[in-house]
Amino acid sequence: MRSKHAMLSSMWSIPLHILPAYNPNQKPILALLTFRILLQKHHAANIARAMKTIFSTDGLLPKDRFRHWREICEDRLVPMEQRSLDDGQFDATIDGINIGGLDFTKFALRNLRASTTPRTLRHENHKTDHLFMSIVLKGAVKAEQNDRSSADGTGDFAIRDTNTPWTIEHDGYSEVLAIAIPRARIEDVLGPARLFASLTVEGHQPVATLARSFLTRMLDQADRMRPEVAERMAGVGIDLVVASLAERIAREVPEPVHGSLVVQRAKAHVEANLHDQTLDPPQLAAAVGVSLRRLQQLFQERGQHISDWIWRRRLEVASKRLSDPACAHLPIGMVAYEAGFTSQAHFSRRFKKHHGMSPLEYRHAAILQNRS
């Protein structure tokens, strides 16, 4: 029988020698955390091996380091305004590789603030046909774009939109993997980038974990894939990124839109259950998953009351059937019950109050009008 270590090694392509000795007394949660840390370190090592160094401050004079850094950043990303957050010596590296048409760039740096501005967006070297996926491999990154602020930790990722200004801050040491993804591949599915740019996609979310693991594993296998295979795998990776973003966007519905959706769901539930004589506001609130007070508030914001709206819809449905020649054979009592009224007498009282005539008079008037 295969050991647990052997199964983990095979499943995640982790060499057996880096796994710790199996301890049957270790709590499962501690074992899982230990494994996650080892997995992140292993993937980070694979990324470093797969990519080629494009830039390093090693060997450069201190006075030239930042200038050369900015030039390479502009080539790999977009023109930006950058400044160091401390007075110490600037140290950084940039590694890169192209897999299946996607440019992967790993930045290792510390204490830096970078911004795109209206001026840099007009620069002749600015790129607008790509979005950048930013995966935090180590450390933390603060970002602002489209009136959103985020703090991305290790394993998290976000999308940077090249069409609007952003600000990114590296406080302390961090490593970030940036992937240039054709804008159309994401926007054709999810809509304009303003809907999702700078939203933090937490690394612990299931689909995000799959997306990040798949893309980093692509780096590990880069030199073993034929070009056509790499291109197909790049497409799969983008699809996983889109799925991760869709999952994240679903949690970002603005409050006014969310309120409208709740009211729409409530009204749809009423339409489907008008025949239910027990349907009332508390039951309706439970059906759409909000408190009665909240549902009442949402209806009142739209100039309506829940009970009044339910009774009005019952009357409208009953009136339509009473005026429909195809329903002329139905007894008035049946029309009332099918619209959710508990008795014919109750129906008649409400109907006359609303229409100024009894249900029978209303039916006769409708018949005469249809004949004429």
Side-chain angles (χ1 to χ4, degrees):
M1 181 179 294
R2 300 176 70 192
S3 68
K4 291 184 177 180
H5 275 39
M7 287 189 289
L8 287 174
S9 175
S10 174
M11 183 184 305
W12 295 98
S13 299
I14 299 177
L16 276 169
H17 70 270
I18 77 166
L19 291 172
Y22 175 63
N23 181 359
N25 297 318
Q26 188 176 34
K27 293 183 179 180
I29 186 64
L30 294 178
L32 178 61
L33 290 173
T34 301
F35 177 66
R36 283 191 63 184
I37 292 171
L38 288 170
L39 186 61
Q40 289 174 353
K41 289 182 177 179
H42 178 67
H43 282 167
N46 285 340
I47 291 172
R49 285 194 297 269
M51 306 178 87
K52 297 180 180 178
T53 299
I54 299 172
F55 167 83
S56 174
T57 52
D58 292 345
L60 292 178
L61 294 174
K63 66 183 182 67
D64 296 329
R65 292 183 170 194
F66 206 68
R67 175 172 58 82
H68 284 296
W69 159 267
R70 286 199 304 263
E71 290 173 355
I72 300 299
C73 284
E74 179 175 314
D75 180 63
R76 297 296 294 187
L77 294 177
V78 291
M80 292 181 285
E81 295 181 354
Q82 303 187 62
R83 66 180 179 86
S84 179
L85 298 178
D86 64 24
D87 297 327
Q89 180 173 275
F90 181 70
D91 296 305
T93 60
I94 301 176
D95 301 318
I97 192 172
N98 183 285
I99 306 175
L102 297 182
D103 282 330
F104 292 71
T105 308
K106 184 173 80 73
F107 300 89
L109 64 152
R110 67 176 67 249
N111 300 326
L112 181 78
R113 183 183 179 89
S115 302
T116 58
T117 66
R119 184 185 67 80
T120 64
L121 294 180
R122 295 191 298 269
H123 195 283
E124 61 181 0
N125 293 335
H126 185 70
K127 308 175 185 73
T128 62
D129 56 346
H130 282 74
L131 300 171
F132 287 96
M133 178 185 183
S134 173
I135 307 175
V136 181
L137 302 176
K138 288 184 181 179
V141 176
K142 297 177 183 177
E144 295 181 3
Q145 187 172 30
N146 295 337
D147 297 323
R148 295 190 183 107
S149 298
S150 63
D152 304 339
T154 302
D156 298 340
F157 75 80
I159 298 295
R160 312 297 178 207
D161 182 6
T162 55
N163 279 345
T164 58
W166 75 55
T167 298
I168 301 171
E169 188 171 303
H170 303 261
D171 187 6
Y173 180 78
S174 60
E175 293 182 9
V176 175
L177 179 64
I179 305 173
I181 301 177
R183 177 183 293 273
R185 286 297 305 275
I186 300 181
E187 290 192 333
D188 286 353
V189 179
L190 299 178
R194 60 180 172 76
L195 298 175
F196 51 82
S198 204
L199 285 177
T200 297
V201 181
E202 299 90 346
H204 62 80
Q205 296 296 328
V207 184
T209 299
L210 285 173
R212 186 184 66 251
S213 297
F214 186 89
L215 290 167
T216 54
R217 291 287 292 145
M218 274 184 62
L219 289 171
D220 189 28
Q221 302 294 323
D223 59 346
R224 301 171 61 183
M225 289 189 289
R226 298 191 306 274
E228 63 274 17
V229 174
E231 188 172 347
R232 287 200 301 271
M233 293 302 99
V236 173
I238 294 174
D239 289 342
L240 287 171
V241 172
V242 170
S244 302
L245 289 169
E247 184 179 55
R248 180 63 181 85
I249 292 171
R251 305 190 341 246
E252 196 67 14
V253 179
E255 184 61 29
V257 176
H258 182 266
S260 297
L261 291 174
V262 170
V263 172
Q264 289 174 12
R265 290 205 313 271
K267 291 183 175 181
H269 184 83
V270 170
E271 295 299 324
N273 294 275
L274 274 177
H275 62 280
D276 184 357
Q277 298 173 3
T278 66
L279 181 63
D280 59 11
Q283 185 189 110
L284 182 59
V288 295
V290 298
S291 68
L292 175 58
R293 181 176 181 181
R294 175 58 177 158
L295 189 61
Q296 289 171 331
Q297 178 187 4
L298 291 173
F299 268 77
Q300 288 170 1
E301 288 174 356
R302 291 154 180 80
Q304 300 168 337
H305 294 278
I306 303 173
S307 294
D308 291 346
W309 194 85
I310 293 174
W311 287 119
R312 181 169 64 82
R313 286 300 299 139
R314 293 190 195 278
L315 288 169
E316 288 173 352
V317 168
S319 300
K320 185 175 181 180
R321 289 180 179 173
L322 288 172
S323 61
D324 185 356
C327 298
H329 65 287
L330 296 177
I332 289 178
M334 182 176 292
V335 172
Y337 293 136
E338 289 181 349
F341 290 90
T342 56
S343 69
Q344 185 172 337
H346 179 218
F347 170 58
S348 296
R349 287 196 303 272
R350 282 192 172 270
F351 194 93
K352 188 169 185 176
K353 182 177 180 180
H354 184 76
H355 288 285
M357 63 180 74
S358 70
L360 184 59
E361 293 170 337
Y362 186 90
R363 172 175 270 178
H364 287 161
I367 291 173
L368 292 173
Q369 185 175 0
N370 289 333
R371 287 176 179 175
S372 62

